[in-house]
Amino acid sequence: MALLHVENLRVDIPMGHNPTADDMLHAVRGLDFQVERGEMLCIVGESGCGKSLTSLALMDLLPRKAKRTASRLTLDGIDLLGQSERSMCDLRGNRLAMIFQEPMTALNPAYSIGDQLSEVLTRHRKVSRKDALARAAQMLEKVGISNAGERLRQYPHQLSGGLRQRVIIAMALMCEPDLIIADEPTTALDVTIQAQILRLIRDIQKELGLAVIFITHDLGLVARIADRVAVMYAGEIVESAPARQLFENPRHPYTRGLLASIPIPGRTKPGEALGSIPGLVPSLVGEQHGCAFRNRCAHTVQACARDVPEVHQDGHMARCLLAASGLKPMLVKESARS
């Protein structure tokens, strides 16, 4: 049985003071996915596709005006849609936790690292502050921070970006949650620290058997850490599959376009033109019909303007008429040259 079940998840945001149906921004449009225990699911897509809003919807931390709906949203059998704010506060940090993109804004500058870490445990467990601080020191050591006792007395501004991100990871682990959502946790870090943080998250996930939803726009990163991949475009999941299967046989033109834009060490020659995806992301305000990618796709046909089928085969899903026909899309780089 899957740990997390998501069916027909939608996030709608009214635009303007007196919005009508035509003024509604459909930021997340009918997502379906599951996360197994111990699995690393990577959700990938370009900026603005709805990745971060999806993570906030799972945590019930959306902006006040945003409306979250779903046919099913359960964590280990718990209905997340029917929870009060107090009940969600009991779940956040306890059964599910989040690693935010920018640790400096996620940490409170007025409180020490020890205060912020220990609060997570005292909020959800009946433990003393002394025991909570001991647990906090243990977690700091687990995420690779030395001199844990000294670090607990420091404040966020006294730590480097990499150390602050490690503190956020330690905070997420304080109650050993079932599910961790990592929302682009390496974006604000330099390349060397990024690699360390990625290795840390993957190692801890394997050691503790945690389920992880890792959100990113970097397919190169995804290839190194993912068990399964869900590719988002314009608020929808357009393709999902086990990681190796998706990289070896991408079935959606958008996925192939993303892969074509990544240089491959040892294969991409210096100065060689990379692939690109022409056009712009469509507006998601108002009702949407058909394939959202059709205005940027080299394989568009008239039927793409109507409802697009989800094609499922051997655990591989693609929302594309081309996939339904059994044909493979060309790389964007190849179609642009022809």
Side-chain angles (χ1 to χ4, degrees):
M1 180 179 177
L3 174 67
L4 179 72
H5 282 266
V6 179
E7 294 179 9
N8 194 29
L9 175 65
R10 303 182 65 90
V11 176
D12 300 314
I13 304 173
M15 308 294 288
H17 297 292
N18 298 301
T20 64
D22 292 334
D23 298 321
M24 191 70 71
L25 173 63
H26 304 291
V28 176
R29 305 187 293 141
L31 299 194
D32 296 320
F33 62 90
Q34 297 181 7
V35 184
E36 304 287 339
R37 294 182 183 276
E39 181 181 42
M40 172 83 76
L41 170 68
C42 284
I43 300 179
V44 63
E46 60 194 288
S47 298
C49 71
K51 305 185 303 295
S52 292
L53 281 177
T54 298
S55 68
L56 294 176
L58 298 178
M59 297 288 290
D60 197 18
L61 292 174
L62 289 166
R64 184 174 301 176
K65 289 185 177 182
K67 180 182 180 182
R68 178 189 70 169
T69 59
S71 300
R72 181 180 182 183
L73 184 57
T74 59
L75 176 72
D76 197 20
I78 301 171
D79 182 9
L80 299 181
L81 294 172
Q83 302 298 312
S84 65
E85 176 57 27
R86 182 169 183 176
S87 297
M88 281 304 301
C89 286
D90 291 336
L91 291 171
R92 295 188 204 107
N94 186 18
R95 300 296 303 276
L96 70 163
M98 191 161 179
I99 301 171
F100 292 93
Q101 180 174 342
E102 177 46 70
M104 195 59 189
T105 58
L107 293 169
N108 191 324
Y111 292 90
S112 69
I113 299 302
D115 286 339
Q116 296 183 65
L117 287 174
S118 61
E119 182 185 18
V120 178
L121 201 60
T122 56
R123 170 66 177 77
H124 297 291
R125 303 282 192 273
K126 294 182 179 180
V127 299
S128 66
R129 174 174 165 77
K130 180 180 179 181
D131 289 341
L133 286 172
R135 170 72 172 174
Q138 180 185 1
M139 286 298 100
L140 288 183
E141 291 174 356
K142 180 175 284 294
V143 299
I145 296 180
S146 58
N147 300 321
E150 179 183 347
R151 297 299 187 185
L152 290 175
R153 294 188 292 272
Q154 293 183 321
Y155 289 79
H157 71 273
Q158 296 176 288
L159 305 180
S160 66
L163 285 177
R164 286 195 292 265
Q165 193 61 280
R166 289 172 186 267
V167 169
I168 292 293
I169 296 171
M171 187 178 294
L173 294 171
M174 284 294 288
C175 293
E176 296 187 1
D178 300 304
L179 173 67
I180 289 180
I181 302 171
D183 184 11
E184 302 199 46
T186 62
T187 298
L189 306 175
D190 64 57
V191 175
T192 303
I193 303 301
Q194 280 184 15
Q196 295 175 5
I197 296 299
L198 288 175
R199 192 179 306 113
L200 172 64
I201 293 174
R202 189 59 167 164
D203 290 347
I204 288 176
Q205 184 241 346
K206 292 295 186 183
E207 178 186 347
L208 301 180
L210 303 175
V212 177
I213 297 176
F214 195 100
I215 294 171
T216 182
H217 61 270
D218 187 343
L219 269 174
L221 181 156
V222 169
R224 288 155 37 203
I225 65 172
D227 296 314
R228 285 187 60 84
V229 183
V231 180
M232 283 191 72
Y233 180 78
E236 296 178 310
I237 292 178
V238 296
E239 185 168 6
S240 64
R244 183 170 182 175
Q245 190 172 331
L246 182 134
F247 281 95
E248 290 181 350
N249 183 30
R251 296 178 181 172
H252 196 282
Y254 177 62
T255 308
R256 293 182 67 85
L258 291 177
L259 290 172
S261 66
I262 301 173
I264 302 174
R267 291 177 56 186
T268 304
K269 299 177 181 179
E272 180 181 354
L274 298 175
S276 62
I277 302 177
L280 300 173
V281 178
S283 171
L284 298 182
V285 177
E287 290 300 318
Q288 308 295 319
H289 301 282
C291 176
F293 189 63
R294 65 183 186 273
N295 66 327
R296 307 177 70 184
C297 181
H299 312 281
T300 301
V301 295
Q302 191 172 1
C304 295
R306 300 189 290 272
D307 291 335
V308 178
E310 286 190 3
V311 182
H312 295 262
Q313 184 179 3
D314 300 328
H316 196 148
M317 185 281 290
R319 288 178 51 86
C320 183
L321 285 172
L322 204 65
S325 68
L327 298 175
K328 291 185 178 180
M330 294 182 295
L331 293 176
V332 174
K333 178 170 59 175
E334 294 170 349
S335 63
R337 290 176 176 174
S338 60

